[in-house]
Amino acid sequence: MSNELQTPYFLIDEAALLKNLERIAKLKSLSGAKMVLALKCFSTWGVFDIMKPYLDGTTSSGPLEVRLGAETFGGETHGYSVGYSKQDIEAVNPYVNKLIFNSLSQLETLRGDVAEGISLGVRFNPGVSYARQDLANPARQFSRLGVGIEKLSKEVLEGVEGCMFHMNCENSDFPAYKALIETISADFGDYLDDLDWVSLGGGVAFTSDGYPLEELGALLKWFSDKHGVQVYLEPGEAVITQTTDLAVTVIDIVDNGMQTAIVDSATEAHRLDTLIYNEPGSIREASAKGEHEYVIGSCSCLAGDQFCVARFEKPLKPGDRLHVMDSGGYTMVKLNWFNGLKMPSIYCRRQSGDIVELNAFSYDDFKATLSRQSV
Ligand SMILES: Cc1ncc(COP(=O)(O)O)c(C=O)c1O
């Protein structure tokens, strides 16, 4: 039973994961698009066996991710980084099928180092996007992400077989997405017609309840047919959304004008995007109409480090267990040891109800990240 597990821990729920994966399979069959998991969002490879039947492979950033994708997931392995060094190219050569450069200068200087048989792509920046925050907006002013249309020509793309656009962040608005795809098709169509494949990136909340999957499938199929390309999507959050809780325990209650429950975890260490994007977590045990309001405070030393403010039916007390919901994406990939806090263990609850431990961390793991030896 999960109640016997020591907090903090992440618990990935297989049944919830399969629900998302079934929707991905449906979109694939409606659209003919291929799907590669964005490892930057989620790379807990212990559950990849569950995902493999539903996805075509992985897309990675740094060379370590690329290797992990090839070794633990298999299928197609795409590599895209904002900046590759010559050494990075040598490191990824044995693993990637498709390599996407972020700039024309990277394409020009490194293409000669790319191993034969790897399909080359370039990231295009469409100049339009859907993102709620400027920090996560790939089309923000002076964006370094991708090549703008004004820099493109058929000559510079000689030998390039594909391209990638990533211009969405948590987009659940289908009409807005459709408008973006139509703009890209109109603006870049001349180039797209010459390519074999186009990746439309990630950032679309298409596995969420109520998302019009049929319409999305038809749109992707239209795009693919019109330009004669194999379409790819690079879902990260859409694969893992609503599958994972971060379980924590209340350690203390303090009241300095507001009741604050201090828990044995910290956003800065274990759920970093809560802090970066100022997006509070949601607590499973909370109740909007509850009489008792608490700040759910982290146990890091950062003054503003809190998970959320939430209301409860009953007063909280030390020893209570809380679950921060939807904690699968961009969490485990960003874990750090700030303050020497206990690192959350990682578990998977199988459909059978069995709980499998995927990882548990020790003092030795912490120590080894800091030095392997003294001077
Ligand atoms: C190039 C690229 N592809 C895919 C993704 C995955 O996006 P998401 O997890 O929002 O689906 C990202 C996220 O930043 C990205 O930068």
Side-chain angles (χ1 to χ4, degrees):
M1 279 305 296
S2 60
N3 268 353
E4 287 152 21
L5 305 174
Q6 253 199 41
T7 61
Y9 62 85
F10 291 97
L11 179 65
I12 304 164
D13 186 73
E14 182 180 22
L17 187 56
L18 285 168
K19 191 171 155 199
N20 291 342
L21 291 166
E22 295 291 353
R23 289 178 181 178
I24 290 173
K26 183 167 175 196
L27 181 61
K28 280 180 56 163
S29 81
L30 287 167
S31 65
K34 293 188 176 178
M35 308 277 164
V36 285
L37 172 69
L39 291 189
K40 70 187 73 185
C41 170
F42 181 85
S43 51
T44 304
W45 56 267
V47 296
F48 283 177
D49 281 351
I50 300 170
M51 297 179 165
K52 281 178 200 174
Y54 299 87
L55 294 159
D56 296 283
T58 56
T59 184
S60 291
S61 309
L64 301 183
E65 255 183 24
V66 168
R67 179 173 170 187
L68 185 80
E71 285 186 353
T72 63
F73 204 108
E76 285 202 39
T77 304
H78 296 193
Y80 156 73
S81 173
V82 178
Y84 279 124
S85 68
K86 198 175 156 62
Q87 289 83 351
D88 289 339
I89 299 296
E90 281 160 18
V92 302
N93 265 337
Y95 301 111
V96 289
N97 314 103
K98 292 184 169 55
L99 196 60
I100 301 165
F101 287 113
N102 184 59
S103 69
L104 294 178
S105 44
Q106 284 252 293
L107 173 69
E108 201 177 292
T109 42
L110 293 171
R111 65 187 302 164
D113 296 299
V114 176
E116 221 173 292
I118 296 173
S119 184
L120 287 184
V122 170
R123 177 171 182 171
F124 295 165
N125 187 323
V128 286
S129 58
Y130 183 104
R132 282 175 296 173
Q133 297 198 28
D134 191 52
L135 181 64
N137 179 3
R140 75 210 289 257
Q141 196 182 21
F142 311 125
S143 172
R144 71 195 191 293
L145 305 176
V147 182
I149 194 154
E150 67 289 350
K151 296 212 176 89
L152 293 180
S153 67
K154 299 242 173 182
E155 292 72 54
V156 295
L157 294 177
E158 191 69 44
V160 169
E161 295 178 337
C163 72
M164 185 265 279
F165 297 91
H166 171 72
M167 63 290 175
N168 286 283
C169 187
E170 296 187 24
N171 184 355
S172 53
D173 179 343
F174 177 72
Y177 184 72
K178 185 164 183 265
L180 283 177
I181 297 300
E182 287 169 351
T183 301
I184 285 175
S185 171
D187 293 353
F188 290 82
D190 247 12
Y191 298 112
L192 304 183
D193 290 346
D194 290 345
L195 299 175
D196 298 333
W197 53 270
V198 175
S199 173
L200 294 170
V204 183
F206 67 87
T207 53
S208 301
D209 289 344
Y211 193 93
L213 266 193
E214 276 81 9
E215 290 178 57
L216 176 61
L219 176 70
L220 297 178
K221 186 158 177 0
W222 165 80
F223 184 92
S224 163
D225 291 345
K226 180 169 181 210
H227 300 293
V229 291
Q230 171 63 56
V231 167
Y232 286 85
L233 294 188
E234 306 179 357
E237 191 64 48
V239 179
I240 202 69
T241 187
Q242 304 293 346
T243 64
T244 303
D245 284 346
L246 170 60
V248 300
T249 300
V250 176
I251 299 288
D252 192 17
I253 306 283
V254 296
D255 187 348
N256 297 313
M258 232 181 139
Q259 289 266 77
T260 301
I262 294 171
V263 299
D264 59 350
S265 173
T267 71
E268 194 173 16
H270 306 154
R271 205 178 190 276
L272 196 54
D273 283 7
T274 318
L275 198 58
I276 295 180
Y277 296 108
N278 194 20
E279 284 181 349
S282 301
I283 306 290
R284 186 176 298 287
E285 291 76 10
S287 148
K289 293 196 182 125
E291 271 178 43
H292 307 276
E293 187 180 63
Y294 291 85
V295 173
I296 305 301
S298 302
C299 63
S300 83
C301 62
L302 181 70
D305 189 348
Q306 63 184 51
F307 286 89
C308 57
V309 176
R311 307 186 76 87
F312 297 84
E313 303 280 353
K314 287 195 212 143
L316 293 179
K317 55 181 187 325
D320 284 349
R321 188 165 290 210
L322 301 176
H323 297 84
V324 189
M325 297 189 288
D326 204 11
S327 297
Y330 300 97
T331 51
M332 287 167 261
V333 291
K334 294 189 178 191
L335 289 171
N336 67 68
W337 294 96
F338 186 55
N339 276 200
L341 298 183
K342 197 165 161 255
M343 185 64 84
S345 307
I346 303 175
Y347 297 98
C348 175
R349 179 167 48 221
R350 305 302 312 261
Q351 276 187 299
S352 60
D354 290 350
I355 291 182
V356 180
E357 181 187 288
L358 304 177
N359 215 341
F361 302 90
S362 65
Y363 170 71
D364 288 340
D365 295 323
F366 165 55
K367 192 177 172 195
T369 62
L370 300 167
S371 293
R372 297 269 173 191
Q373 61 180 44
S374 38
V375 289

